[in-house]
Amino acid sequence: MSPLEQSLRQRQPVLWLNDRRQSIAVARAALEFGLADIQEADARLRRYGPLLARLFPDLAPVSGVIESPLHQADKFPNEIMGRGTSSGRWLIKADHALPIAGSVKARGGVYEVLFHAQELAFQDGLPGLEDDPLALASPEARALFARRQISVGSTGNLGLSIGITAAALGFRATVHMSAEAKQWKKNLLRAHGVEVIEHAGDYGAAVQAGREEAMQSASSYFVDDENSKHLFLGYSVAALRLQRQLAALGVAVDAEHPLFVYLPCGVGGAPGGITFGLRNVFGDYVHCFLAEPVASPCMLLRLASAQDRSVSVDEIGLDNRTEADGLAVGRASEFAARQIRELVSGIFTVPDPQF
Ligand SMILES: *Cc1c(COP(=O)(O)O)cnc(C)c1O
């Protein structure tokens, strides 16, 4: 057993540095997507801004653009880590305050539901969509979506994002919730008319149940958190938004002023998509570190695995039980792992009380 694996087994906080990190010029060659795909996703979200503002009136003042504030947190290093431990400027990206879902899942989830709705509407020949994004809210569109189901497996937050957006467009929405999902999230979804199916198993089991149910029906679309490219690209748009917010604050990112970003990681799609976006936007001047609970270090295990194989945390005796419900994932997304293998700078684990 390696010293790293031993520390993980004992639930000790660890920091793993990625010796396979590459310059963006080298890493890019092996990647499926690039900056143009991120820009296209951003353009699609902006195009459907008026639609989102129609569906969610709270978004009208911001023209339907789903974004969160970037707060200055100058007191953070002294108060949290002790005086004199840190230099540089500290900022907090308040994704907990993202509209619709109240978590980072709003970025990917809203994007994938919009993408799917647009695709269905084009296939069906829905009139007016070329010129008017609001055609997706027309009675014809609603009638089309009412015959269709969108489903997802979730520990809670992705369910909120997908469920609320799909139901707002008129889809039949079904969310398969894993055991750790909080009751208030299930209640909120039901209040939006979403069907919530509760599972006794963990996140992986809920995803599998949802995937199998959706395969039974040709009118069902399953948002696959373990494999979805749309979710990934939706998340990556955060990098373009952060670039503008940093510029507005006068924060330079260059060789003398590297940017360090700390991203909580569950299955890896959200922090993976954001890491992918940031490396494409800021190149080698950004260092992305993922944070995982000591009970659920699935991406660390996956990326540190010498054989480059999929590993579950129970293989090293961890129980995947954490209060950080959005991060309670035992096995990382293979898709996300492959995308970030050469992009991410490192991964660290954190005991629950400190999350
Ligand atoms: C889901 C989630 C994450 C991690 O995203 P993954 O795609 O699962 O890695 C981080 N923070 C919050 C609040 C989440 O809900």
Side-chain angles (χ1 to χ4, degrees):
M1 196 190 315
S2 69
L4 174 68
E5 197 180 308
Q6 208 155 355
S7 301
L8 288 174
R9 271 179 193 272
Q10 292 166 1
R11 297 168 162 254
Q12 288 165 356
V14 299
L15 168 65
W16 169 78
L17 297 176
N18 183 13
D19 59 7
R20 293 165 76 179
R21 181 180 189 269
Q22 291 284 1
S23 71
I24 188 65
V26 171
R28 203 175 258 152
L31 290 175
E32 196 172 326
F33 300 110
L35 188 59
D37 299 292
I38 304 170
Q39 287 163 337
E40 193 185 309
D42 185 40
R44 182 170 288 113
L45 280 169
R46 287 179 190 282
R47 174 168 199 264
Y48 285 109
L51 173 72
L52 292 173
R54 163 84 62 92
L55 298 175
F56 303 101
D58 289 354
L59 284 175
V62 291
S63 311
V65 175
I66 298 164
E67 204 34 77
S68 71
L70 181 63
H71 295 303
Q72 314 220 37
D74 298 325
K75 289 193 182 138
F76 178 76
N78 285 336
E79 287 183 0
I80 303 291
M81 301 190 300
R83 248 162 232 296
T85 52
S86 155
S87 59
R89 246 170 118 170
W90 286 77
L91 301 155
I92 293 178
K93 184 74 175 121
D95 273 6
H96 64 278
L98 279 172
I100 300 179
S103 80
V104 68
K105 303 297 191 312
R107 300 185 181 282
V110 173
Y111 181 72
E112 177 146 5
V113 171
L114 283 176
F115 194 98
H116 177 62
Q118 175 187 284
E119 210 167 45
L120 282 178
F122 275 129
Q123 279 166 13
D124 197 66
L126 184 80
L129 188 55
E130 299 278 0
D131 309 315
D132 183 8
L134 289 175
L136 286 189
S138 65
E140 295 88 342
R142 294 193 79 83
L144 169 67
F145 300 151
R147 297 193 299 273
R148 298 284 183 151
Q149 181 191 35
I150 293 184
S151 69
V152 68
S154 172
T155 62
N157 287 341
L158 186 63
L160 288 181
S161 176
I162 299 290
I164 291 172
T165 312
L169 280 164
F171 284 97
R172 234 158 33 80
T174 301
V175 175
H176 294 264
M177 286 288 205
S178 60
E180 53 276 322
K182 307 256 191 270
Q183 190 59 44
W184 71 264
K185 295 181 183 175
K186 301 176 197 170
N187 296 347
L188 181 61
L189 280 173
R190 289 184 173 128
H192 279 265
V194 175
E195 179 190 22
V196 177
I197 300 177
E198 300 177 59
H199 294 274
D202 71 356
Y203 161 86
V207 170
Q208 188 53 26
R211 197 185 277 132
E212 280 168 15
E213 191 215 42
M215 275 185 336
Q216 314 279 320
S217 159
S219 60
S220 281
Y221 178 81
F222 182 65
V223 176
D224 195 330
D225 195 21
E226 292 181 321
N227 296 294
S228 170
K229 297 170 186 187
H230 300 311
L231 283 179
F232 190 80
L233 287 175
Y235 291 128
S236 76
V237 170
L240 298 174
R241 309 280 174 83
L242 185 62
Q243 183 181 36
R244 290 178 68 167
Q245 289 179 314
L246 287 172
L249 285 177
V251 176
V253 180
D254 54 33
E256 275 79 52
H257 308 93
L259 174 66
F260 288 79
V261 183
Y262 305 101
L263 298 152
C265 178
V267 75
I274 294 170
T275 294
F276 161 80
L278 288 170
R279 288 297 310 272
N280 271 283
V281 168
F282 294 113
D284 300 333
Y285 304 138
V286 64
H287 286 274
C288 299
F289 288 87
L290 310 190
E292 296 189 299
V294 290
S296 314
C298 64
M299 189 59 89
L300 199 169
L301 269 181
R302 170 64 184 82
L303 291 188
S305 143
Q307 300 84 24
D308 226 354
R309 70 177 183 93
S310 166
V311 195
S312 168
V313 298
D314 60 20
E315 289 178 43
I316 60 160
L318 293 174
D319 62 7
N320 191 25
R321 285 187 187 277
T322 166
E323 193 47 39
D325 53 331
L327 312 183
V329 176
R331 190 184 293 275
S333 154
E334 265 308 297
F335 169 71
R338 280 197 308 276
Q339 306 308 307
I340 65 170
R341 194 162 46 192
E342 297 184 341
L343 298 178
V344 76
S345 289
I347 304 182
F348 57 96
T349 60
V350 183
D352 258 19
Q354 290 171 29
F355 241 113

